[in-house]
Amino acid sequence: MDGGGDAAGTDRTDANGPGPDAGARTGPDAVARTGAGSDAGTHRAGDDGRASAPARAGTDSPLARSTGDGGGGRTETAPAGTARRRGPVVAALMLGMALAALDGTVVSTAVPQIVGDLGGFSVFSWLFSGYLLAVTVTLPVYGKLSDTFGRKPVLIVGIVLFLAGSLLCAAAWNMASLIAFRVVQGLGGGALQGTIQTIAADLYPLEERPRIVSRLSTVWAVSAVAGPAVGGLLAAYADWRWIFLINLPVGAVALWLIGRHLVEPPRERGPRPKVDWPGALAVFLTGTLLLTALVQGGVAWPWLSAPSLGLFAGSAAAAAVTVLVERRAAEPVIPGWVWRRRTIASVNLALGALGLLMIAPTVFLPTYAQSVLGLGPIAAGFVLSVMTLSWPVSAAYSNRLYNRIGFRNTALTGIGAALAVLLAFPLLPYPGEPWQPALIMLLLGAALGLFQLPLLVGVQSTVPWAERGTTTASVLFCRQVGQSVGAALFGALANTVLAARLGGSGDLDSVSHALANGSPDDGLRRAVAAAVDHVFVGSAAAAGLAVLVLLCLAPRRFPVIKESVGDGVQVERP
C-alpha cells in the first residue's frame, strides 16, 4: 500500500488536524500521519522474498507495515499522508491533470488558425511531437527527483514550467518559436503527469486508491470531450493565443492549493542528496534520439534513409552510455531494480503494450469515422470519446474485482476482453452505422479500465515511499514509448495497406486531402476501412503480447506492502 494511512472505511487524523472524514478516530488504534519522508530502517524484500538493503531514513514518526500475500513477510516504516486536508489537494491534482489533459485536444482544433497566422505548415506536427518528446524523456528524471527531494517541490516546478511555457506560446512570433515553447511546456508536463499520479498514491491507501485514480481518469474523459469544443470556440471567437493563456488562471489556482495544503514534513538532516545529473542527461539524450526517429521516420524522411538510421544508431549508442553511467551512479535516475524486480518489469512491459494498442482508436478511428462513415469532425470525435466515458467507471469499480481475484487476474480479465473487442472491429459491416464502432469503443474503454488501473495501483503498492516516484515514472515512461512505437508501426502498416489497395499511390495524407476537399470516393473509403481493420488487428496483437507478459512474467500475487496497525506495533505521533 501507499504511504497513505489507515484502512479503508475509517476516519483519519493527520499531523495537522482532522482529515476530510468527519469524526477522527481516537484511542490506541488512531494513526497520526506524518507526511512524505523516506522509509526509515526498513529491509525491503524483492519479489522473490529476499531482503535487500535498508531503505533510507525518512520521517520521525513511522507507521509500521507488513506485507500481504506473496510479500515475503517484509515490513515497512512508511510516511503517511502528506496533506492537511485531502480535499483541496485532490482538487489541485485534478486541476494540474486538466492542464496536461486539455493541452493536446485544445491545441489540435486550432491548428488551422495557428498555421494561418504563423505559417510553417510543413513542421506544424512538431507542436505535438515536441511536447510529447519532452514529456516522455523527462518522466524518469522527475520520478527520481520526487523520491529524492519530495513530491511538492517537483510538482511546483512542473506547474511553473508549464505555465511559463504557456505564456511564451501565447507570445510566439513564428512556428519555430511556438514549437520551442511547446517543448518548454512539455518539460513541465512531464512533472505533472508522473508526480500527480505518485501523490495520489501517497494520499490514499490501497482500498481507497481506485477512487482518486478514477477521478483523475474522469479529468481525461472530460478533457477528451470538452477540449475540442473549447479550442474551437477560442479559435473562432477570440484568438488562438487564448488557448495557452487560459492555462494561467487554472495553474495559478493549482499552485495556490498545493502550496497551502500539501504538507511534507522536514526530512532528516544528513548528507545532501546527490543528483545523478550525468545519468539524467544520458536518459534525456537517449529518449530524444529514439523518439525523434520514431516520430519523424516515414513522415519527414523514409525509414531506411540516412537520418532514420543515424538517429536509431545514435539512440543505441546513447543507451549503452546510459547503462554505463547508471551502473556507476550512487543514486541512478533509472535504478537497475526497476527491471530486476519481476513485478515492476512485467507491469512496465504490459503498459508499454497498452500504449502500443491505444494508437488504433485514438489516431485512426476519427479518420475511419469521417472517411468511411461520412461523419463530421464533431460526430467522429464523439465515436471516440465514448471510450473515455466507460474507462473511469470500470476503473472505479475494479477494486471490487482485484480484492477478490488479485491484481494480475483482474488485469488479465481486462486485457482479454480488450483483445476480443479489438478483434471484433474488423468484423463490422461496410460501411456500417456510427453506433457500431461507438459500441466497440464503449466496450474497449470498460475493458482497459480493468486492465490499467489494477496494474498501476498494484505496482505502486509493492514499493515504499522512497521508490514510488521512480516506479510510477517508469510505468508512465514505458506507456509513452509504447505510444510512440505504435504511432510509427501502425502508421507504416496503414500506409502499406492503402498503397496496396490504391495501386501504390495512397497514404494517410491523401485521405486527409480528400476529406478536406469533400467526400472521398468509394474506392478510397474501402481502402481506409481495410487499413484501419489491419491496424486494429495489430492492436489486438499488442493486447495478446500484454496477455503473454502477465501470464509468463507477472507474479500471481503482487508483493503488496500492507499497513499493520495495532497487534503490538507502536505508532508514535509527531
Side-chain angles (χ1 to χ4, degrees):
M1 284 173 55
D2 70 330
D6 45 6
T10 61
D11 299 316
R12 320 172 165 259
T13 304
D14 63 25
N16 302 283
D21 305 316
R25 293 187 297 158
T26 58
D29 291 335
V31 178
R33 300 168 60 201
T34 62
S38 302
D39 305 331
T42 64
H43 290 271
R44 186 185 185 285
D47 292 338
D48 55 1
R50 293 175 297 179
S52 62
R56 290 176 297 175
T59 69
D60 297 324
S61 303
L63 172 64
R65 296 178 172 188
S66 64
T67 59
D69 296 336
R74 57 187 165 150
T75 59
E76 176 196 3
T77 52
T82 58
R84 292 174 179 169
R85 291 178 298 275
R86 288 191 302 182
V89 177
V90 170
L93 297 183
M94 295 179 72
L95 288 174
M97 189 64 78
L99 290 175
L102 281 168
D103 183 79
T105 55
V106 171
V107 173
S108 63
T109 57
V111 165
Q113 288 79 9
I114 295 174
V115 171
D117 188 12
L118 301 180
F121 177 79
S122 61
V123 294
F124 85 88
S125 64
W126 272 98
L127 291 177
F128 308 98
S129 300
Y131 177 86
L132 174 65
L133 188 151
V135 167
T136 304
V137 300
T138 55
L139 274 169
V141 177
Y142 285 126
K144 182 61 180 179
L145 291 177
S146 74
D147 284 342
T148 303
F149 297 104
R151 327 297 192 208
K152 185 174 181 176
V154 173
L155 182 56
I156 288 176
V157 168
I159 295 175
V160 170
L161 270 176
F162 190 92
L163 296 183
S166 298
L167 186 60
L168 290 170
C169 286
W173 55 90
N174 57 29
M175 185 61 74
S177 64
L178 182 58
I179 290 171
F181 299 148
R182 284 281 287 168
V183 172
V184 176
Q185 264 193 318
L187 295 177
L192 290 176
Q193 292 195 23
T195 311
I196 286 173
Q197 294 281 5
T198 305
I199 293 175
D202 289 341
L203 289 177
Y204 284 81
L206 178 58
E207 293 85 352
E208 298 180 41
R209 203 170 297 155
R211 183 170 65 183
I212 179 61
V213 177
S214 65
R215 287 181 185 177
L216 296 177
S217 298
T218 301
V219 172
W220 285 95
V222 172
S223 301
V225 176
V230 172
L233 288 173
L234 290 175
Y237 297 103
D239 186 273
W240 63 264
R241 298 178 190 273
W242 281 101
I243 289 173
F244 301 104
L245 292 175
I246 200 173
N247 292 331
L248 300 182
V250 176
V253 173
L255 269 178
W256 180 79
L257 290 173
I258 291 294
R260 181 176 178 82
H261 296 286
L262 183 62
V263 178
E264 294 184 318
R267 301 174 67 84
E268 288 187 347
R269 294 185 178 275
R272 185 174 182 178
K274 295 181 179 180
V275 180
D276 178 24
W277 293 118
L281 180 60
V283 170
F284 190 90
L285 179 61
T286 302
T288 299
L289 293 174
L290 176 61
L291 292 177
T292 302
L294 292 172
V295 169
Q296 293 298 99
V299 178
W301 47 70
W303 284 109
L304 297 180
S305 64
S308 279
L309 297 177
L311 285 169
F312 280 120
S315 65
V321 172
T322 301
V323 171
L324 293 176
V325 171
E326 295 296 79
R327 283 183 173 179
R328 298 178 179 180
E331 294 287 343
V333 171
I334 302 182
W337 54 259
V338 168
W339 292 105
R340 286 196 300 267
R341 293 181 192 168
R342 182 179 169 192
T343 304
I344 301 174
S346 61
V347 172
N348 283 344
L349 293 175
L351 290 186
L354 173 63
L356 190 68
L357 73 85
M358 283 299 297
I359 292 300
T362 57
V363 175
F364 291 91
L365 188 64
T367 299
Y368 175 91
Q370 292 182 66
S371 60
V372 178
L373 302 180
L375 301 179
I378 295 178
F382 177 76
V383 171
L384 173 61
S385 66
V386 294
M387 178 178 67
T388 65
L389 302 179
S390 58
W391 190 314
V393 174
S394 68
Y397 289 97
S398 64
N399 62 326
R400 300 187 180 185
L401 189 57
Y402 68 62
N403 284 334
R404 291 176 177 269
I405 65 175
F407 292 118
R408 190 193 75 158
N409 290 339
T410 301
L412 277 171
T413 301
I415 196 61
L419 173 59
V421 170
L422 290 167
L423 288 175
F425 187 91
L427 303 179
L428 295 179
Y430 173 87
E433 298 294 333
W435 66 265
Q436 294 167 335
L439 177 61
I440 291 287
M441 291 302 102
L442 189 70
L443 296 174
L444 183 62
L448 294 179
L450 289 178
F451 171 64
Q452 182 188 28
L453 185 136
L455 292 181
L456 179 60
V457 170
V459 77
Q460 287 177 330
S461 302
T462 66
V463 294
W465 185 95
E467 297 175 350
R468 188 173 294 134
T470 299
T471 300
T472 302
S474 73
V475 169
L476 297 177
F477 175 77
C478 288
R479 178 173 171 173
Q480 293 283 84
V481 172
Q483 288 180 330
S484 298
V485 172
L489 182 63
F490 293 143
L493 175 62
N495 284 335
T496 300
V497 174
L498 283 171
R501 293 295 182 110
L502 298 175
S505 60
D507 56 21
L508 292 177
D509 288 337
S510 66
V511 176
S512 300
H513 291 312
L515 290 175
N517 297 327
S519 299
D521 58 43
D522 187 67
L524 181 57
R525 293 174 65 194
R526 289 184 178 275
V528 171
V532 175
D533 286 347
H534 279 75
V535 168
F536 269 83
V537 171
S539 290
L545 177 62
V547 170
L548 290 176
V549 167
L550 293 177
L551 286 175
C552 299
L553 296 181
R556 291 180 60 85
R557 295 192 178 193
F558 282 24
V560 173
I561 301 174
K562 290 187 177 180
E563 296 171 328
S564 178
V565 180
D567 299 328
V569 175
Q570 298 296 319
V571 181
E572 300 177 356
R573 293 183 181 277

